[in-house]
Amino acid sequence: MISVQDGQNQILRQLPEPTSPEIVAVTRARERVLAEDLHAPFDVPPTDNSAVDGYAVASDDVPTGRTRELDVVAELAAGAVFDGAVAPGQAVRIMTGAPMPRGADTVYPQEVVERRGDRLGVGPIPKGANVRKRGEDVQAGTIAIERGTVLRAQELGLITSLGQWQVLVHRRPRVALLSTGDEVIEPGTPRKAGQIYDANRFTLRGSIEQCGGEVIDLGIVADVRDELRARLLEGAGVGDIVVTSGGVSVGVLDLVKDVLDEIGAIDFWQVAMQPGRPLAFGRVGSAHFFGLPGNPVASMLAFMLFVRPAIYKLAGRRRLFPDTAEATATEAMSKKKGRREFKRGIVQWTNGRWEARTTGPQGSGILSSMAAGNCLIVLEEDRGDVAVGETVLVEPF
Ligand code: AMP
Ligand code: MG
């Protein structure tokens, strides 16, 4: 038996370099991973500018505690630049975002002034009010976004605010995927007694896509040595990673291990976890190989624990593991010491705290428990049964 963490560490040690970078348009870069530090070539905003629609003035020109009359000498539209300077006794009409005119350091919001023709009545105002400073968003020369960051909507806008419309990202890791088992058949085809429809290939496909991988679907392979060998070699030719489900438990027809011994290198692990104990990890050709268990919950969980961080690492991500949070158990949970258990749970904010309960029956074949849940409840190795009111770790889906 090895622990979940030892397994993760061993896997990550085998995956040295992220995939090569490629340039993509920002419009196609969402959820991709930045492959270089993005330096700001200039300050954003590039000049001091107005935070409101109003009137730019030189604040020294407005004595404290007094009102004063100013002359409005110009009207600046958004994007317009005032080529003169604001002199004592003067104000310039300015729009949100317009560069501050020379001589002005403060902006009156239009709601607080009294305008009569070209005259403006104003009261005292703190110096610098309603001005956004040059570089307050991003300073020239600093790193605006670190390499390894997953680009979300906000990063995309930050990149284009620096004038860039293309960005260097890592190539998506390619993951060749297949299901094994004589009994497993394609959805949409008629089912005979004893057969089951393939669930894992679709759970895993979705999981691969969710974590930024590109799926190469190699279908279902029967438990026939030559077919499995051929399909694995095909997968190794096209994928950075090859993932199979089924065929890694110790039944007679569990061929994955035999075939991998022949055409690659394989470690066969019993991981101290529940569900999903058996896991195969190794290589076929130049690809990394993961043989996940056949039971649908076990295969998805093993994917989350072992394949996802590997894809993340290949994709060049800085963060490989998800955030966890603490919640109060509202249900007693059975737990065996010495292994890490993962219950499918529902966590919600109730009574001013995060509360967690399981989704019900927790068998490793009960895929609906994953669908009903919004988190994993993670019970650590050294922990025994959980009583109502105890704190548990949750990992939101
Ligand atoms: P195995 O590890 O091949 O012995 O499979 C363990 C259990 O998972 C068996 O009940 C299989 O029928 C089931 N199973 C294997 N592959 C799949 C699949 N792709 N979709 C749904 N269930 C599967
Ligand atoms: Mg099987």
Side-chain angles (χ1 to χ4, degrees):
M1 284 266 187
I2 69 167
S3 70
V4 170
Q5 210 182 342
D6 285 348
Q8 289 170 332
N9 290 340
Q10 284 202 42
I11 288 165
L12 292 176
R13 267 202 303 276
Q14 308 285 320
L15 294 160
E17 290 300 309
T19 56
S20 52
E22 61 185 3
I23 293 174
V24 299
V26 169
T27 48
R28 311 199 66 101
R30 197 174 65 82
E31 295 296 313
R32 301 295 297 269
V33 182
L34 192 64
E36 62 181 353
D37 288 338
L38 195 83
H39 292 270
F42 51 81
D43 290 321
V44 180
T47 58
D48 291 359
N49 66 88
S50 178
V52 293
D53 291 341
Y55 294 87
V57 301
S59 68
D60 291 346
D61 200 29
V62 185
T64 40
R66 301 247 315 271
T67 57
R68 190 178 187 322
E69 290 263 306
L70 302 172
D71 288 323
V72 180
V73 295
E75 306 254 351
L76 292 187
V81 178
F82 186 58
D83 40 11
V86 178
Q90 295 185 337
V92 167
R93 171 92 172 119
I94 194 169
M95 297 304 166
T96 305
M100 288 297 286
R102 210 153 20 93
D105 58 13
T106 302
V107 181
Y108 282 97
Q110 62 192 17
E111 299 80 17
V112 307
V113 300
E114 223 175 295
R115 175 136 183 205
R116 290 174 298 274
D118 284 344
R119 300 288 285 170
L120 197 66
V122 299
I125 189 170
K127 186 184 175 108
N130 303 310
V131 176
R132 301 168 177 158
K133 301 307 272 181
R134 166 182 180 162
E136 73 173 17
D137 186 356
V138 185
Q139 273 178 293
T142 60
I143 295 172
I145 310 175
E146 267 182 77
R147 68 188 296 176
T149 302
V150 180
L151 303 176
R152 303 166 298 174
Q154 48 270 57
E155 279 82 20
L156 299 181
L158 188 53
I159 293 166
T160 56
S161 77
L162 298 171
Q164 247 177 268
W165 66 277
Q166 291 180 320
V167 65
L168 195 69
V169 296
H170 288 287
R171 177 174 62 73
R172 287 179 196 283
R174 286 192 270 266
V175 184
L177 177 61
L178 62 92
S179 293
T180 72
D182 287 337
E183 78 283 24
V184 181
I185 59 164
E186 199 67 53
T189 62
R191 191 180 69 88
K192 296 197 202 88
Q195 295 182 320
I196 57 165
Y197 287 118
D198 192 350
N200 296 348
R201 221 166 84 246
F202 300 90
T203 306
L204 295 171
R205 181 191 187 97
S207 301
I208 293 163
E209 287 172 353
Q210 258 176 17
C211 66
E214 192 183 306
V215 178
I216 300 152
D217 190 343
L218 298 183
I220 303 166
V221 193
D223 293 317
V224 175
R225 182 183 298 262
D226 293 343
E227 285 183 26
L228 183 59
R229 186 196 296 112
R231 208 74 70 91
L232 286 173
L233 287 171
E234 186 190 342
V238 290
D240 301 298
I241 293 179
V242 177
V243 173
T244 65
S245 70
V248 293
S249 49
V250 281
V252 205
L253 287 177
D254 293 349
L255 291 173
V256 170
K257 179 177 163 25
D258 285 359
V259 172
L260 256 290
D261 276 339
E262 227 178 277
I263 59 170
I266 194 166
D267 272 332
F268 193 66
W269 294 341
Q270 294 294 321
V271 184
M273 63 186 272
Q274 164 77 16
R277 201 157 61 129
L279 179 76
F281 173 65
R283 298 187 71 87
V284 210
S286 59
H288 303 279
F289 172 80
F290 290 87
L292 307 182
N295 281 308
V297 176
S299 64
M300 186 174 181
L301 181 64
F303 178 93
M304 291 165 125
L305 293 175
F306 302 108
V307 187
R308 185 171 60 191
I311 294 175
Y312 281 177
K313 184 158 183 204
L314 272 187
R317 288 208 196 198
R318 249 178 314 128
R319 298 197 47 209
L320 305 184
F321 296 100
D323 285 328
T324 54
E326 286 185 344
T328 305
T330 56
E331 176 193 319
M333 299 173 207
S334 64
K335 164 68 174 63
K336 261 199 201 138
K337 278 195 175 176
R339 65 187 191 189
R340 195 176 294 192
E341 291 187 19
F342 299 86
K343 315 274 187 198
R344 276 70 69 208
I346 297 166
V347 62
Q348 61 188 29
W349 182 256
T350 320
N351 307 318
R353 60 183 190 178
W354 289 106
E355 294 186 343
R357 63 181 197 277
T358 71
T359 54
Q362 295 286 304
S364 66
I366 302 178
L367 190 52
S368 56
S369 69
M370 280 282 189
N374 67 4
C375 71
L376 290 174
I377 300 171
V378 184
L379 304 177
E380 309 88 327
E381 285 78 354
D382 55 1
R383 183 157 197 173
D385 290 342
V386 175
V388 172
E390 285 186 25
T391 300
V392 292
L393 280 184
V394 296
E395 200 179 290
F397 285 153

